[in-house]
Amino acid sequence: MTSAATKPSSVNRLKSNDAGRHMISDYWERIFTANERNASVVWYNGAALNPIFQAAGLEWAHGEAFAARLSAQKLEKSAQLAAQEYGYVGELCSYARTHLGTALLAKQAREKFENGIVDEADRDELASRLPMPNFIVNSYAGCSTGQQWDELTMRVLGKEVPIFNVSLPFLWSNRADAGYLQGQEWEEASDYVADQLHKLIEFIEFHTKRPFDWEALREGMHYIKQAAEIRRDAMAMCRSKPTPATFWDWIASVAHINFLPAGPELVTYFSNIREEIVGRLARGETAIKDEKYRLYFDGIMNWNKLGTLARVFAEHKVAIVAGRYTHNAFWQEPHLIDTDDPIRGMAQHYLLCPTNHGFKTIKHFTEHDCDYYGLDGIVFHSTRTCRAFTGPQQMLARAMQKDHGLPSIFFEGDVADESFYKGELLESRLEAMLETIDVRRSRDLIASA
Ligand code: SF4
């Protein structure tokens, strides 16, 4: 008899993701050693401004990414405690809360180091290893917490660090000509953000006292565009039933497309993913054992529970094939990038954050994805401290049921605070929804006989 502990997993993860993990740890090691190398560091949140920082010769530390990394490694508690002691309540976005706590720990660690109380080797708390920033850049779409987070970080750091804010307007899409990637609102917002990116570059030139390297930006965006095209191609192959890769595989590659350095290695990484998927399709190898149901995942990621969630769904023979967080974010429209003159296409991607759209556009994505990937229903991750993602979910659930007959369930969790996760609720609601799907299938079968 096979015990639960030795039961073989039904999740068949992409091997090329595992092979590319070192890229993430190499990146963070570079960040952690930035001060020793006298490199200038920028802390930033939200939009993927990293190609600009890379071209300017900076090291870039992404606030959400660091909070997510701490959570995925179960090392987030000390930072959250520090934030709580400072006065940030548990209802504050756990990304922001963890990162603000990190700022406090890193500041304390830096002060102790400068006073000779500890050396670098004694800084064993990962949360305190983040190097102090030379400046901060905020560029947050669709969320008032995100837009204020860096102001708070600046205060936590004693108002001594210069800050630049890129304002990203919300795309309401309520004018007659408005639609996804089209209409006056879209064109005007694109120009407005592009103009600010030029001003950001002036700000960086002022603080680094170096002229900006435009050729390096063009080169970086060339690699990002290539990597993004390959990623989209590989995602589209998951239309195949059963699917060769799942949403969880795309989650595992979010760091790479979102903030790792732009270069040939990034292109090779996504080429390897695509090649592996092509190989799986040719061999009939599937992402989970005996796929029976195909679902969409709406919600921001729960970084504490990645392995748990992947297992829960796979054990119910559910392939989560696509999601708002993965398929409608992260350079998802690479045709917008003009590699000779990349600023406007970059600005447009920053506006395309999946929390930055009115309901009409969110419904448009979801309908497209559910139809394209042949999905049976939707799982909503009702993220406790991220109101920006959860805001339209109830309306979306009702509209998808009414207009497309797609059932859905909600489960509670959070981005970086596992105390909000309700695993039992998820399992019981999931089982109920799968029964509904079974009943619908039997009915359709009888009707077609
Ligand atoms: S509330 Fe959500 S969208 Fe806003 S900063 Fe937090 S994670 Fe980002």
Side-chain angles (χ1 to χ4, degrees), residues 109-173:
R110 174 56 41 192
E111 284 162 1
K112 282 187 191 164
F113 173 67
E114 281 165 3
N115 292 328
I117 299 170
V118 291
D119 62 22
E120 290 289 350
D122 286 333
R123 295 173 61 183
D124 53 352
E125 282 275 10
L126 183 60
S128 69
R129 290 185 66 202
L130 210 56
M132 286 289 98
N134 295 78
F135 49 92
I136 298 172
V137 177
N138 184 269
S139 176
Y140 223 106
C143 171
S144 58
T145 302
Q147 284 156 8
Q148 296 176 67
W149 168 354
D150 285 317
E151 286 284 330
L152 296 175
T153 309
M154 188 188 64
R155 283 189 222 171
V156 162
L157 297 181
K159 299 189 182 172
E160 286 167 358
V161 185
I163 184 167
F164 189 95
N165 183 47
V166 180
S167 157
L168 299 175
F170 190 82
L171 299 173
W172 296 98
S173 301

Side-chain angles (χ1 to χ4, degrees), residues 151 225 274 298 428:
E151 286 284 330
K225 180 168 179 162
R274 182 171 62 183
D298 188 281
S428 60

Side-chain angles (χ1 to χ4, degrees), residues 202-237:
E202 286 169 21
F203 168 87
I204 293 173
E205 284 179 318
F206 177 79
H207 285 285
T208 57
K209 300 184 177 45
R210 287 193 299 266
F212 185 69
D213 189 342
W214 284 97
E215 201 37 53
L217 180 66
R218 285 184 202 108
E219 194 184 324
M221 289 311 296
H222 161 77
Y223 289 121
I224 287 198
K225 180 168 179 162
Q226 256 188 296
E229 284 169 347
I230 295 166
R231 175 177 177 263
R232 293 301 308 182
D233 239 22
M235 281 176 158
M237 289 177 196

Side-chain angles (χ1 to χ4, degrees), residues 93 95 140 143 146 149 300 385-386 388:
C93 159
Y95 269 168
Y140 223 106
C143 171
W149 168 354
I300 200 163
T385 68
C386 176

